[in-house]
Amino acid sequence: MGESHLVYNMMSLLWKGIQLETSMGSVKFASMVAALLGMSQGITLLLAKSLLLLFDHERAYYHEYSIGFSGVLFAMKVVVNSQSDNYTSVHGLVLPSRHAAWAELILIQMFVPGVSFLGHLGGILAGILYLHLKASYSGSNPLTTIIRRFTRILSWPVRLVWGICRFRRLQIFGRGTVGGSQARRATGVWRCQACTFDNSGWLNVCDMCGTDRFDDGLSSLGSSNQTHDLPVEELRRRRVQRFGR
């Protein structure tokens, strides 16, 4: 229906999506959007069917065409403002944030011709229904579990390629690791006393700094009595200066 409609909806999605996704995570955010999409369209269809039963229209509303993401955006607005006690401005009208979606529904219907009133109303009701279902249900969301498993299946090739590349990189640049003691679970691994690099048992010289396997890395610092008297930071500085790392 025009670039302005697309830009307005996408900017609204960006503003609400940043707040929701950063607070609940990507998987839960995706499951919420999917649930709101289904509920908003379902409620809109029920409203259209109810109007046909209550009023004698020549053509049912659900035979009309509508486009856009506004229904889900209205539902997301309800979710964003559900716990807010602040005030917001809706086209110059200052009111509590909890009522912003209702005010925007009326103002848009008044000043923007051709918009889907039932679509927007269905989105608001979907947001309210989602909040009630979330508050009353304490278990894990099955839709979130499905989306998490689906994303793991889709990302399996990427993780496989990443694992192969990482394995080859370890083969090229060394077999050891630097860090905690958990890296030494494999047999035949010894840790360099100078740089804490884990080396293969087949090596007698550290693959990282060249220190002998049975050297404590402090031989150049003088006698053992002198090294015990030095602070930890001074020992570290001398090690860095010695190995040039």
Side-chain angles (χ1 to χ4, degrees):
M1 296 300 292
E3 291 80 2
S4 59
H5 185 198
L6 176 64
V7 171
Y8 180 82
N9 277 5
M10 291 303 97
M11 292 298 293
S12 179
L13 174 62
L14 179 64
W15 173 250
K16 299 177 180 67
I18 288 176
Q19 302 178 67
L20 291 173
E21 187 173 1
T22 53
S23 62
M24 64 177 56
S26 298
V27 176
K28 290 185 178 180
F29 175 72
S31 64
M32 183 199 68
V33 172
L36 293 178
L37 178 62
M39 287 192 296
S40 62
Q41 297 302 307
I43 292 176
T44 301
L45 183 61
L46 291 177
L47 292 175
K49 189 67 175 180
S50 301
L51 289 177
L52 182 64
L53 295 177
L54 296 177
F55 303 96
D56 188 15
H57 292 285
E58 296 181 358
R59 179 179 174 86
Y61 181 81
Y62 48 77
H63 289 312
E64 302 293 336
Y65 294 95
S66 62
I67 64 170
F69 204 60
S70 301
V72 180
L73 294 176
F74 268 88
M76 292 172 62
K77 182 185 288 290
V78 174
V79 176
V80 169
N81 296 328
S82 60
Q83 303 297 330
S84 178
D85 295 329
N86 299 327
Y87 285 80
T88 186
S89 175
V90 180
H91 302 286
L93 182 64
V94 180
L95 70 164
S97 299
R98 296 189 302 272
H99 305 147
W102 294 102
E104 189 171 351
L105 171 68
I106 298 174
L107 292 176
I108 289 180
Q109 194 65 33
M110 291 173 57
F111 297 105
V112 182
V115 297
S116 175
F117 177 78
L118 287 187
H120 293 172
L121 178 60
I124 295 178
L125 297 179
I128 296 175
L129 178 61
Y130 175 83
L131 291 175
H132 280 288
L133 292 177
K134 185 179 179 180
S136 60
Y137 184 70
S138 59
S140 60
N141 189 351
L143 187 58
T144 302
T145 305
I146 293 174
I147 293 179
R148 182 178 288 112
R149 292 179 179 178
F150 183 68
T151 53
R152 286 187 62 85
I153 294 174
L154 290 181
S155 62
W156 177 79
V158 178
R159 289 185 282 112
L160 178 62
V161 173
W162 173 255
I164 295 175
C165 295
R166 184 172 180 271
F167 176 74
R168 290 181 178 178
R169 185 166 50 188
L170 290 176
Q171 284 186 327
I172 295 174
F173 294 102
R175 295 174 294 275
T177 57
V178 178
S181 60
Q182 294 181 353
R184 292 186 294 173
R185 292 179 180 177
T187 58
V189 177
W190 60 276
R191 170 159 295 178
C192 177
Q193 298 297 322
C195 65
T196 69
F197 187 80
D198 289 342
N199 297 273
S200 171
W202 298 98
L203 299 176
N204 290 325
V205 178
C206 178
D207 198 23
M208 174 66 71
C209 64
T211 304
D212 188 82
R213 179 172 181 174
F214 303 101
D215 186 7
D216 60 0
L218 301 174
S219 58
S220 64
L221 298 179
S223 63
S224 59
N225 293 332
Q226 292 176 343
T227 59
H228 285 305
D229 296 335
L230 292 176
V232 177
E233 289 298 326
E234 179 65 19
L235 290 176
R236 179 179 178 278
R237 187 188 66 81
R238 293 192 181 187
R239 286 178 180 175
V240 173
Q241 183 180 6
R242 176 188 177 189
F243 299 114
R245 297 180 184 274

